[in-house]
């Protein structure tokens, strides 16, 4: 792995002056998270380790993914290069020879990513005795939050039928020394495993990891299809196998380098109000019923470090994570929807709420075809507004996008809504929790078969020879 564990990542950041230690006492009630927020807002963006947190003997690490440089350190490469490599693995060459060598390459690579499973965590860890969640420096991030929340956990479950493992990042609300609110949204892998177990009316084993190497943390956020193991995905990115330890009271495995592990269960017959929580959207997510996690056993490093994050109005580190996900998965998205040239899940729109896509348009109705394909593709199902532009528009240049949106649409013809669709659980504007509508904006040039009977005007371009000659004469003109 690029980093053996959380502490070796922190040490390297410290050596590179990308981390600052705060030794003065800090309050986990709002103060700590506001400091993390301010560090990002003023543009310093360093990782911060708080060594003296009021009410706890455990240090807190925050802003782990504060900028693109750190994201690349964690991933070992630019996300798009990793995406291209993932694509190479799934593409099938046409001639027999290269098919065989490709098969061998795939066999070697995929064979080398399966996690290594050990019987236990080893001597670095101790049994923390009777669970006491109140001893951890769990923060309240925003003033009207319903309480304290664990914000950077890896939640591990298994599909009771297939046995496939899922690792997702779902916040956990602290209720008391042994219970947490489990905020896995209905569309996510953990919730799907829970629903399967509900059919059996049996509790579902859950393990929660607080602090592990940053690549495993990233993998928990990655929108992998259910059934694809996040720890194997981390192995695929790092080309190194993740070491896992077997749970002691749960039929689950978790990283051997975990700082703190909570073992427990959710009972399908039980739910409780979770929230409100100051969320990625910049609003407090409303209270809703969610399952309850009962913690039965805790293991931890002898001197554990607790990781945290704050989400909220722009800009927080979830923006870096989201952009890394977008760039990494773009090659795979383009493989499935080949007319796509580029895509921008916009951070100002909380990623899902507005997605700009450029396409190489060849036939009428193609923009709509792309929209519906995206609405059916993994977590892109949450995209509330999709804007499709032609490939002369740079989707990352807001000015170009607004220009295309305002000059290439006839609202009556090119803007439409779809009723009765999936919505993101965090979309408070939808009339019903998890259910609402979508908007498509086709900002591509139109032809006759799309009802445009006039002549589409050309955009202006200066001839290259004029551009070149002016460039050469620039200083001679006294400019
Ligand atoms: C900081 C952070 C907090 C998140 N909190 C939640 C959450 O509380 N509930 C949730 O369903 N998804 C949350 N997510 C998004 C999921 O982690 C993400 O959708 C992931 O792909 C889910 O994995 P899964 O498909 O295996 O369930 C969060 C993401 C980040 C970066």
């Amino acid at each position: 792995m690029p980093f053996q564990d959380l502490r070796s990542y922190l040490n390297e950041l410290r050596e590179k002056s990308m981390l600052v230690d705060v030794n003065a006492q800090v309050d986990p009630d709002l103060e700590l998270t506001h400091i993390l927020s301010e560090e990002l807002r003023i543009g310093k963006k360093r990782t911060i380790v708080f060594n003296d947190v009021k009410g706890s003997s455990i240090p807190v690490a925050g802003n782990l993914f504060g900028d693109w440089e750190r994201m690349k350190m964690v991933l070992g490469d630019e996300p798009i290069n990793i995406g291209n490599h993932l694509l190479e693995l799934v593409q099938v060459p046409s001639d027999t020879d290269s098919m065989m060598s490709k098969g061998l390459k795939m066999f070697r690579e995929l064979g080398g990513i399966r996690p290594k499973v050990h019987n236990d965590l080893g001597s670095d860890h101790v049994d923390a005795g009777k669970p006491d969640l109140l001893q951890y420096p769990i923060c309240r991030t925003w003033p009207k939050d319903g309480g304290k929340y664990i914000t950077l956990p890896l939640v591990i479950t298994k599909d009771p039928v297939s046995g496939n493992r899922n690792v997702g990042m779902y916040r956990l609300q602290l209720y008391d020394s042994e219970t947490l609110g489990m905020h896995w949204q209905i569309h996510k892998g953990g919730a799907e495993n829970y629903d399967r177990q509900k059919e059996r009316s049996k509790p579902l084993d859950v393990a929660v990891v607080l602090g592990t190497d940053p690549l495993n943390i990233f993998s928990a956020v990655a929108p992998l299809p259910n059934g694809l193991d996040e720890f194997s995905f981390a192995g695929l990115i790092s080309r190194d196998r993740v070491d896992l330890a077997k749970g002691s009271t749960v039929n689950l495995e978790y990283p051997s380098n975990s700082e703190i592990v909570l073992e427990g269960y959710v009972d399908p017959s039980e739910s409780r109000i979770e929230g409100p929580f100051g969320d990625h959207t910049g609003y407090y997510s409303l209270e809703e019923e969610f399952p309850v996690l009962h913690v039965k056993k805790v293991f931890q490093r002898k001197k554990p470090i607790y990781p945290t994050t704050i989400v909220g109005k722009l800009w927080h580190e979830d923006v870096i994570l989201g952009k890394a996900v977008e760039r990494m998965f773009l090659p795979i998205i383009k493989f499935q929807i080949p007319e796509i040239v580029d895509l921008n899940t916009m951070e100002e729109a909380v990623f899902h709420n507005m997605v700009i896509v450029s396409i190489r348009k060849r036939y009428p109705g193609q923009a709509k075809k792309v929209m519906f394909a995206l609405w059916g593709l993994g977590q892109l199902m949450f995209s509330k507004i999709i804007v499709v532009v032609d490939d002369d528009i740079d989707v990352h240049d807001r000015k170009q996008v607004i220009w295309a949106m305002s000059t290439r649409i006839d609202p009556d013809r090119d803007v439409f809504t779809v009723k009765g669709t999936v919505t993101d659980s965090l979309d408070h504007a939808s009339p019903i929790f998890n259910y609402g509508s979508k908007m498509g904006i086709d900002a591509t040039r139109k032809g006759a078969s799309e009802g445009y009977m006039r002549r589409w005007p050309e955009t202006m371009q200066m001839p290259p020879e004029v551009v070149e000659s002016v460039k050469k004469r620039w200083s001679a003109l006294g400019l």
Side-chain angles (χ1 to χ4, degrees), residues 420-433:
T421 64
V422 166
T423 60
D424 181 17
S425 300
L426 303 191
D427 184 9
H428 54 266
S430 64
I432 298 174
F433 185 43

Side-chain angles (χ1 to χ4, degrees), residues 166-167 169-171 183 185 188-189 220-223 230 280 379:
N166 182 268
V167 188
M169 179 169 293
Y170 319 121
R171 72 168 184 252
H183 185 258
Q185 296 153 6
K188 305 296 172 72
V221 177
E230 281 78 1
H280 304 273
Q379 290 190 32

Side-chain angles (χ1 to χ4, degrees), residues 212-227:
T212 171
D213 65 274
L215 182 56
N216 269 326
I217 300 180
F218 173 82
S219 300
V221 177
L224 303 184
N226 293 350

Side-chain angles (χ1 to χ4, degrees), residues 103-119:
L104 273 172
K105 186 173 175 240
M106 268 183 75
F107 182 73
R108 266 201 307 271
E109 276 208 32
L110 297 179
I113 63 165
R114 212 161 26 90
K116 284 184 244 170
V117 181
H118 307 271
N119 279 335

Side-chain angles (χ1 to χ4, degrees), residues 77 135 146 173 200 250 274 316 355 367 372 375 408 462:
D77 201 348
Q135 68 170 301
Q173 180 172 359
R200 286 161 186 73
V250 287
E274 196 271 358
H316 287 95
V355 179
F372 284 104
W375 282 323
R408 295 185 188 177
M462 201 50 82

